[in-house]
Amino acid sequence: MTLELKHSFDDKTYRHFLNGFNIVLHCHHYMCLTTKLAEDFNDIGGTRILTETAEDTIRPIFDEYAKTHAIAPGDARLKMAAEFYSAMGLGRMDTSGTANAGNVTLQKSHIDQGWVKKWGNNTKPINHFTRGYIAAMFAAAFDKPARSYMVTETEAIVTGKPASAFAIVKQ
Amino acid sequence: MTVMRDKVVKDLVNITVTHDQDGLIPNFNVLVNQLPTSFWNTFAERIIATCPADRKPALEAALIQCAYECGYHTGYGIITSQEFKSVVMPMVTEGPKDVLRGAFAVFTAWGWAKSGIVQIVEGEKMTIRATDYYEADDAKGSDKHAYMIRGISTAFFELAYSDPYPNGMGKFQCEQVKGIECGDPFGEFIVTKK
């Protein structure tokens, strides 16, 4: 599958749009510092908020594309979401799964590689954004509501592994 | 001649932002991402809503710090990039002041805010005005919350007027005095010495 991506720029507001969704360019510093902030405020739910926000704000992009392009539920939608991951500059993702469970591997990761570039390796996984992204992609793929999937990062590039791995289980 | 923001923006948005074979967007000496503005806004809104009142100042300072560090490092990448040299530098006739104007044109081109410098006292003070910025979307209430613009404005001013990169951090601060999110016609941001 090759995504049909329509980038546009509004000459009045100077905003960018991807397939009609307002997007903004940021860098790995901003994403990694935001991740670190979520960890620093984890006693008030920082990482959960980050993960759920990713799930809730990425999901409409998948739903709109699947509807507009008549992408059937299941594997085709998982592949669609994996391509969006790259289109957003977040890395390279391989995915497989059913409505009940699945696996995702990141061969490359904006967040992990950005973190390593900025601070070096970490002792534990930090890719909370991608856990939410994956929850959104499985929910969109199998027409489930938000919070239908529990996503666990089982291996992480940031800890020194060659790839990141995520296990997905229907809740 | 000085830096013409609208020309810089139009030239830069024509540079297509596409990912490489690894799904990454390396540019300006950083890895770039392009995410929905709703993600950044919703995260800030939800974590602030969850935060106890006594810790809110620390959280807001941390949100500003995210943008400040990003702006300092990415800003340096921007003003030393080939794109900046080819698009902006031919218009630079007023030294650091014009480099700063160019940096804010890039700031606008990246979709951060339709913004520009309205006053500079070199090395002392700068006033930025933004007539559209995504941090004002879905505004509810009277709090000014353009944390990203505050952080990045401070960083850019330090790149222009503080010690040379990477030793110029921590010298300036930015206050938001007006905000579209609380009913003003534009956002206004003032950078001064700490």
Side-chain angles (χ1 to χ4, degrees), chain A residues 10-83:
Chain A
D10 186 314
D11 285 338
K12 287 185 182 164
T13 60
Y14 286 4
R15 292 188 185 217
H16 293 264
F17 294 86
L18 178 65
N19 291 357
F21 290 89
N22 187 187
I23 59 162
V24 60
L25 307 184
H26 274 298
C27 67
H28 73 272
H29 292 285
Y30 197 50
M31 177 54 101
C32 291
L33 286 158
T34 299
T35 301
K36 179 81 165 47
L37 181 153
E39 294 227 325
D40 290 346
F41 284 83
N42 209 21
D43 60 318
I44 60 165
T47 59
R48 176 187 53 77
I49 292 168
L50 178 57
T51 302
E52 291 180 358
T53 301
E55 180 178 5
D56 295 342
T57 58
I58 297 295
R59 172 77 183 268
I61 296 174
F62 300 154
D63 288 346
E64 189 277 338
Y65 193 91
K67 184 180 173 191
T68 305
H69 294 80
I71 310 290
D75 195 52
R77 288 192 191 170
L78 292 178
K79 286 189 167 51
M80 169 199 77
E83 287 194 30

Side-chain angles (χ1 to χ4, degrees), chain B residues 120-187:
Chain B
I120 299 180
V121 180
E122 292 203 70
E124 297 288 331
K125 184 182 174 187
M126 171 175 72
T127 303
I128 299 295
R129 204 168 275 178
T131 54
D132 184 272
Y133 49 98
Y134 73 83
E135 289 180 292
D137 291 352
D138 306 320
K140 303 177 194 82
S142 59
D143 289 344
K144 301 177 190 76
H145 53 236
Y147 309 113
M148 189 272 300
I149 299 178
R150 287 177 66 184
I152 287 179
S153 297
T154 306
F156 281 11
F157 199 73
E158 287 181 343
L159 285 168
Y161 292 111
S162 188
D163 295 334
Y165 182 90
N167 301 313
M169 297 181 85
K171 307 286 171 41
F172 290 87
Q173 62 192 355
C174 180
E175 185 186 0
Q176 182 180 5
V177 295
K178 289 180 189 294
I180 295 171
E181 64 272 31
C182 44
D184 294 316
F186 49 80

Side-chain angles (χ1 to χ4, degrees), chain B residues 79-95:
Chain B
I79 63 176
T80 55
S81 69
Q82 194 52 47
E83 291 89 342
F84 197 85
K85 284 174 188 160
S86 63
V87 173
V88 180
M89 289 311 282
M91 292 185 249
V92 170
T93 55
E94 295 184 44

Side-chain angles (χ1 to χ4, degrees), chain A residues 7 9 11-16 22-31 33-34 37-38 40-41 43-44 46 48-50 52-54 56-58 61 83 85-92 108-110 113-114 117-119 129 147, chain B residues 5-6 9-10 13 17 19 21-25 29-40 42-43 46-47 50-52 55 58-59 62-63 65-67 69-70 73-74 108-112 114 132-135 137 148 152:
Chain A
H7 283 268
F9 185 72
D11 285 338
K12 287 185 182 164
T13 60
Y14 286 4
R15 292 188 185 217
H16 293 264
N22 187 187
I23 59 162
V24 60
L25 307 184
H26 274 298
C27 67
H28 73 272
H29 292 285
Y30 197 50
M31 177 54 101
L33 286 158
T34 299
L37 181 153
D40 290 346
F41 284 83
D43 60 318
I44 60 165
R48 176 187 53 77
I49 292 168
L50 178 57
E52 291 180 358
T53 301
D56 295 342
T57 58
I58 297 295
I61 296 174
E83 287 194 30
Y85 196 75
S86 293
M88 292 175 186
L90 297 171
R92 186 153 52 84
K108 300 288 176 183
S109 164
H110 171 91
Q113 291 171 241
K117 199 170 167 170
K118 193 166 176 58
W119 295 305
F129 175 92
R147 317 289 181 263
Chain B
R5 183 194 67 181
D6 291 357
V9 170
K10 285 186 171 66
V13 296
V17 178
H19 63 86
Q21 71 279 5
D22 292 327
L24 301 172
I25 307 172
N29 296 323
V30 295
L31 296 174
V32 177
N33 62 62
Q34 40 186 1
L35 293 175
T37 53
S38 59
F39 164 70
W40 300 107
T42 305
F43 174 70
R46 286 182 181 177
I47 198 161
T50 309
C51 191
R55 293 183 64 196
L59 176 59
L63 287 165
Q65 185 71 17
C66 290
E69 280 193 41
C70 153
H73 299 297
T74 306
T108 297
W110 277 38
W112 291 343
K114 187 174 183 180
D132 184 272
Y133 49 98
Y134 73 83
E135 289 180 292
D137 291 352
M148 189 272 300
I152 287 179

